Amino acid sequence: MKLFLFPRIFRVIGWIAFVPSIVLGILLMYGALSFSGLTETIANDTAIIGIALGSLFITCSRERIEDEMTGAIRLRSLLSALYAYVTFLVIETLVVNGMDYFYVMAANLVAFPIIFALRFRYEMHKYYSSGDEEQD
């Protein structure tokens, strides 16, 4: 099966987009930065798009060694991220109400790729540190 993954350099590009965007998003969410009108719309859109594209590039970039085991770990991580995301979504829907629900749903726009990235990195770390694979 052919995987359509970005080249490795996209991981660096992803981090360059993700980190400033997440900082901007947090500052906007907690009111440390305040804009109005078109500037507010541009700032919000920049934060969301930067976080989304950054996390996409981070998670969908090739590994140094992209083999069958990496593909299996990627698939397992994707499935567990989906389970966690849906669980959080159901709990948040039952617990959070009013305008706070809007903020929670805005955060959920980018939660899935972030959960996947964390899970995948954790699983890859376990795989590389287990010593089961052959290393140069």
Side-chain angles (χ1 to χ4, degrees):
M1 182 174 98
K2 177 124 172 93
L3 292 178
F4 297 103
L5 296 172
F6 296 111
R8 283 190 48 132
I9 189 67
F10 274 71
R11 179 171 298 127
V12 175
I13 295 169
W15 281 111
I16 291 170
F18 180 79
V19 172
S21 298
I22 197 86
V23 170
L24 176 63
I26 290 169
L27 292 174
L28 289 169
M29 190 168 75
Y30 289 108
L33 288 178
S34 179
F35 300 108
S36 62
L38 182 61
T39 309
E40 179 183 22
T41 302
I42 291 172
N44 287 332
D45 292 352
T46 301
I48 291 172
I49 292 170
I51 293 168
L53 286 178
S55 60
L56 177 72
F57 289 165
I58 291 166
T59 58
C60 296
S61 297
R62 289 191 176 280
E63 291 296 307
R64 184 176 299 123
I65 300 170
E66 191 69 43
D67 57 5
E68 293 83 16
M69 188 59 171
T70 305
I73 292 171
R74 192 180 299 276
L75 185 59
R76 237 185 4 249
S77 299
L78 186 63
L79 190 58
S80 63
L82 180 63
Y83 290 152
Y85 175 77
V86 170
T87 301
F88 291 146
L89 183 65
V90 168
I91 291 169
E92 291 164 351
T93 300
L94 294 173
V95 173
V96 180
N97 295 306
M99 193 60 185
D100 290 335
Y101 185 73
F102 173 75
Y103 295 126
V104 169
M105 288 301 108
N108 275 341
L109 288 173
V110 295
F112 182 74
I114 292 171
I115 294 169
F116 170 70
L118 293 172
R119 178 69 179 176
F120 181 64
R121 288 285 119 214
Y122 173 72
E123 290 293 328
M124 289 303 291
H125 175 73
K126 277 186 8 184
Y127 174 65
Y128 285 131
S129 64
S130 70
D132 291 338
E133 80 284 355
E134 298 178 57
Q135 298 205 359
D136 297 334

